[in-house]
Amino acid sequence: MNVTRIPRFVSIAVLGLVALSVPRAQAQQPAAPAQGAPAQAPAPRVARIVAEPANPALVAGQPIPFKLTAYDSAGNVIENPPLRSSGPRGILRYANGQLTGMQAGKYEVVVTAVGGTNPARLTIPVTVQWPPIAQVEILPEPGRLYAGVTLAHRARAVHADQSERKNVALTWRSSNDAIATVDRFGNVTARRPGAVTITAEAEGVSSSVRHTVLANPVASLTIDIEENSVRTGDVVHLKATAKRASGAAVADVPITWSYTYVPDDTIAAPGATGVIDRGLFAAEVPGRYTLLATAGPTSARKVIAVSPRDVRKRISVTGRGSINHVHTSDLWPWTGKDGRDYALVGTWGGDGWAYVFDITDLGAIVKTDSIKVDARVINDVTVSPDGRYGALSREGASNRVNGVVILDLANPAHPKVAATFDQELTGGVHNMFATNDYLFALSNGDKYVIIDMKDIYKPTYKSEYDHPNSRVHDVWVSNGIAYSSEWGTGVVAVDVGNGKWGGTIEKPKLIATYPTTSGATHEIFPYVQKSTGKVYLFLGDEIMSREGRVWEGTSYLQNINQKGGVPQTSAGYTHIIDFTDPTNPKNIAKYHQEEFGSHDIIVEDDVMYQAYYDGGLRIVDVSGELVGNLAEQRREIAVYKPFDPQGYTANASFVMNAMPWKGHILFTDFNSGLWSAKLEPRSQPLP
């Protein structure tokens, strides 16, 4: 019996669904026969879909064999059936004929035949259980327990393979509450001198740490903060000195920080007003803050005035490169060899068209050429820093080969195809990153392939990186380090030529990984901040259809694809990770607008240019150290939502990409094409 095996996951990015098991070209219609050739028989209609096993039961992290078979009405197996599927993104992963669950729970995967009315459909219930916990590790915060003080403890529960169980239910207990108590969060408060044992338990596995509580020697406490007034979002380093009666410092006493708040008007601000995190404080709203430091019964306080961070500017549109007959995807601007400026723009569901615009005069953008390739989607476009070559990513090619198309930009207004490259890329390329010598191309969300581009007419395979049990969506290379966003895995940093961690372009080597709290890490941009020397990673979530709309069969996809279809919605936000020390990354800040979701990100000169889907273009001040939610700190410089009554979907703002360019901002909108805008100089405060 011939059985259709599922080659790999397919990620339908714009719908925000994970396709569990669809060959990349299955949704393509057969090519029309040449003139005079006999007509091809119509593809058999899928009458029934069978999953083996029908009800997969998984242990998280442990793969099992899995396959799908499609049958016609006569019971014959259909080769390469036109199927699409949807399921929980980042929870279930498929590779090499095996299905792996990453998080315990009960889930459903819906597989539907494409085409026709009342298509065959199969709902596959999937159950994932956690493996047993093998060990619990207790990690006390620095400091010593003195009577009256509180010392925080954290516990890690790990499986036999050393993977950590997140959000596990822990039970904490003290051997003697008269000596020290512990709350359900692991905070240990010492009451009087003596020996005490603190225990954390999860699912019958426990670990303990022993403390000897000493008499509290602190006689005085002073706050050593120089700032008396700051703006919202400015970071204050919390520092206090505890001293004995003799004046000697008590260096190991834990100091607890808190604050009280008086608003700058008569109406208190809703929600959080300030953030204390790892010895740092940032006010989210204006007002008068009293910082409190305590070390047992001894305390100190300092009052700081916080003024509004008013960085707002007006923004105005300067030009348009309208595209309203198909959806628009990515853009990339460059200066051509002829000294003029250009932008390469891709399309989504646009039958493989890309466009070239002359943007030398951003008040009069002119389309100079178009390029047609064999693809359903050109999700990503890029140009090498030297302007020597461009690249178009391909998904949904009719021959299922996909890969990338390399453009010779010697004549930038009218590029010509130099080569195609598909080695290890046949599953579809969603995103790329170009250097002068190498092109990093994602292969079907499994890995990224590094292509030698020294001869653009003969590109060659150089190497690749595939992180185990992970799905990759984007990659950005800086200073010889490839930073990739990999959904539930979070950020994956790899040495691809930096050398500090032993990696080369021929033999990439893992540096570190760091997961976000959302498990939906989709976009990444590394930024070295000159004023602080810190390396910040800006990681964007992608959570689509936030109103609960899910894909049912083909109807939703067709509605999105047809002109005037359903406007998209989104959720998720931008996480900001301090990655200065890759061995100790810290999730320290975010940019979170509740009603919208993030997409592409660029940071330049302490300004973040964020494509925020239905939230439009967002321009945000990211200067100085970052802590807390930047959206609450009045760091937004400008917001612009492109509405076009002639758009593919009329008046439906859905910004895909944004980039600063020579004093302007270029951005693409899913429904209306290329836009150019400019921040206006500000001479006085805005109302």
Side-chain angles (χ1 to χ4, degrees):
M1 176 185 290
N2 292 324
V3 176
T4 300
R5 294 185 179 272
I6 311 164
R8 283 179 180 161
F9 277 107
V10 175
S11 174
I12 306 175
V14 173
L15 295 183
L17 306 175
V18 167
L20 175 64
S21 51
V22 186
R24 176 59 73 171
Q26 286 175 349
Q28 297 296 312
Q29 298 298 320
Q35 188 172 2
Q40 296 180 354
R45 178 181 173 80
V46 176
R48 184 166 59 99
I49 307 167
V50 175
E52 299 178 65
N55 303 291
L58 306 169
V59 175
Q62 300 177 17
I64 65 169
F66 183 76
K67 63 183 178 182
L68 285 180
T69 308
Y71 298 90
D72 63 17
S73 58
N76 299 311
V77 173
I78 301 174
E79 296 289 346
N80 297 324
L83 304 177
R84 290 188 181 276
S85 62
S86 64
R89 170 171 278 171
I91 302 297
L92 303 175
R93 298 174 184 171
Y94 184 87
N96 303 318
Q98 293 191 313
L99 181 67
T100 306
M102 307 309 297
Q103 181 175 314
K106 293 185 177 181
Y107 310 100
E108 285 188 346
V109 175
V110 179
V111 182
T112 310
V114 175
T117 58
N118 299 318
R121 175 173 172 169
L122 176 66
T123 299
I124 307 169
V126 180
T127 302
V128 184
Q129 294 182 336
W130 289 118
I133 290 175
Q135 180 184 359
V136 174
E137 179 185 10
I138 298 179
L139 306 170
E141 291 293 314
R144 188 164 188 174
L145 271 179
Y146 293 102
V149 306
T150 297
L151 184 66
H153 292 61
R154 184 172 68 87
R156 294 177 67 248
V158 297
H159 307 124
D161 63 358
Q162 294 304 301
S163 61
E164 184 176 354
R165 174 85 66 84
K166 299 293 186 180
N167 302 318
V168 65
L170 287 162
T171 300
W172 292 86
R173 62 180 180 269
S174 168
S175 63
N176 189 339
D177 285 348
I179 302 298
T181 60
V182 58
D183 65 17
R184 64 191 182 97
F185 303 107
N187 297 308
V188 177
T189 300
R191 295 193 176 279
R192 63 177 174 81
V196 67
T197 299
I198 303 298
T199 302
E201 181 178 336
E203 297 182 4
V205 179
S206 64
S207 179
S208 299
V209 60
R210 186 174 176 82
H211 290 285
T212 299
V213 179
L214 302 179
N216 195 326
V218 178
S220 65
L221 188 64
T222 58
I223 293 179
D224 308 317
I225 296 175
E226 295 182 358
E227 295 91 344
N228 293 309
S229 61
V230 295
R231 299 176 300 168
T232 54
D234 286 346
V235 172
V236 175
H237 288 249
L238 300 177
K239 184 180 179 182
T241 301
K243 293 182 180 181
R244 300 174 184 268
S246 64
V250 185
D252 58 357
V253 63
I255 295 175
T256 301
W257 289 89
S258 60
Y259 68 86
T260 61
Y261 163 72
V262 177
D264 62 356
D265 56 27
T266 58
I267 302 175
T273 55
V275 176
I276 291 178
D277 186 15
R278 285 174 279 244
L280 304 175
F281 169 77
E284 307 257 87
V285 298
R288 189 168 67 251
Y289 291 78
T290 300
L291 298 175
L292 303 170
T294 61
T298 308
S299 64
R301 63 183 60 208
K302 180 180 176 64
V303 179
I304 294 179
V306 178
S307 60
R309 186 187 200 93
D310 193 359
V311 295
R312 295 172 298 163
K313 293 184 179 180
R314 297 187 186 277
I315 187 171
S316 57
V317 172
T318 59
R320 293 281 309 276
S322 296
I323 302 173
N324 55 22
H325 62 290
V326 293
H327 289 305
T328 308
S329 58
D330 193 31
L331 78 102
W332 199 277
W334 84 100
T335 299
K337 300 297 184 182
D338 59 1
R340 299 185 65 81
D341 294 337
Y342 297 90
L344 187 60
V345 178
T347 61
W348 189 93
D351 200 26
W353 285 99
Y355 299 98
V356 182
F357 292 89
D358 187 320
I359 59 170
T360 307
D361 181 355
L362 286 169
I365 296 174
V366 178
K367 184 171 72 176
T368 63
D369 211 339
S370 58
I371 305 155
K372 176 72 166 63
V373 300
D374 181 9
R376 177 178 61 88
V377 171
I378 300 176
N379 185 74
D380 199 20
V381 301
T382 190
V383 175
S384 61
D386 59 8
R388 185 170 55 94
Y389 72 90
L392 308 176
S393 70
R394 294 200 300 157
E395 296 177 271
S398 63
N399 62 1
R400 306 179 187 177
V401 174
N402 293 299
V404 296
V405 176
I406 308 304
L407 304 178
D408 184 343
L409 300 182
N411 182 356
H414 304 283
K416 65 178 181 178
V417 174
T420 59
F421 185 90
D422 54 48
Q423 183 177 344
E424 296 293 329
L425 297 176
T426 55
V429 176
H430 197 64
N431 277 315
M432 306 173 293
F433 185 88
T435 69
N436 287 336
D437 293 332
Y438 301 100
L439 179 68
F440 293 69
L442 270 59
S443 178
N444 195 31
D446 291 332
K447 60 187 178 182
Y448 53 83
V449 174
I450 305 173
I451 307 166
D452 191 320
M453 299 298 298
K454 295 183 182 66
D455 183 348
I456 64 172
Y457 284 85
K458 295 180 180 179
T460 58
Y461 174 93
K462 193 70 174 180
S463 64
E464 63 182 55
Y465 183 80
D466 185 357
H467 195 73
N469 295 318
S470 188
R471 301 288 299 165
V472 59
H473 181 271
D474 192 26
V475 63
W476 198 280
V477 183
S478 176
N479 193 29
I481 300 174
Y483 300 92
S484 56
S485 53
E486 307 212 4
W487 300 114
T489 307
V491 58
V492 176
V494 176
D495 187 339
V496 292
N498 178 282
K500 182 177 179 180
W501 293 270
T504 64
I505 198 71
E506 296 84 5
K507 294 183 178 180
K509 186 173 181 180
L510 176 67
I511 300 171
T513 65
Y514 187 79
T516 64
T517 54
S518 68
T521 306
H522 164 276
E523 171 70 8
I524 188 163
F525 187 85
Y527 178 65
V528 179
Q529 191 178 66
K530 293 179 181 178
S531 62
T532 63
K534 292 183 177 293
V535 177
Y536 285 129
L537 301 184
F538 291 78
L539 308 178
D541 295 335
E542 183 179 70
I543 303 171
M544 304 303 294
S545 300
R546 60 180 167 83
E547 294 176 347
R549 180 168 52 239
V550 296
W551 180 58
E552 300 287 346
T554 60
S555 59
Y556 184 45
L557 179 63
Q558 289 170 345
N559 205 5
I560 285 292
N561 273 330
Q562 69 183 16
K563 189 174 176 68
V566 176
Q568 280 286 80
T569 57
S570 62
Y573 58 89
T574 299
H575 307 252
I576 305 171
I577 312 299
D578 184 342
F579 213 72
T580 309
D581 178 2
T583 65
N584 185 30
K586 301 172 184 176
N587 193 344
I588 46 88
K590 62 182 178 178
Y591 173 70
H592 189 184
Q593 286 287 356
E594 291 282 352
E595 65 269 41
F596 310 112
S598 67
H599 198 228
D600 287 356
I601 305 164
I602 297 287
V603 182
E604 184 178 280
D605 295 332
D606 285 353
V607 176
M608 178 176 70
Y609 301 86
Q610 169 91 71
Y612 221 72
Y613 276 146
D614 44 326
L617 166 69
R618 326 287 291 206
I619 304 171
V620 183
D621 167 24
V622 294
S623 61
E625 284 190 82
L626 304 176
V627 171
N629 185 3
L630 310 189
E632 299 290 343
Q633 297 170 5
R634 306 193 183 189
R635 284 179 174 266
E636 285 187 338
I637 297 171
V639 175
Y640 185 82
K641 297 183 181 181
F643 293 105
D644 186 349
Q646 304 302 317
Y648 192 84
T649 299
N651 294 324
S653 173
F654 206 68
V655 177
M656 299 290 286
N657 192 15
M659 299 183 73
W661 180 254
K662 297 187 176 181
H664 289 70
I665 305 102
L666 296 170
F667 61 98
T668 46
D669 178 73
F670 191 56
N671 293 306
S672 55
L674 177 66
W675 295 66
S676 170
K678 185 177 178 64
L679 294 174
E680 298 178 1
R682 179 174 165 181
S683 57
Q684 58 186 5
L686 296 178

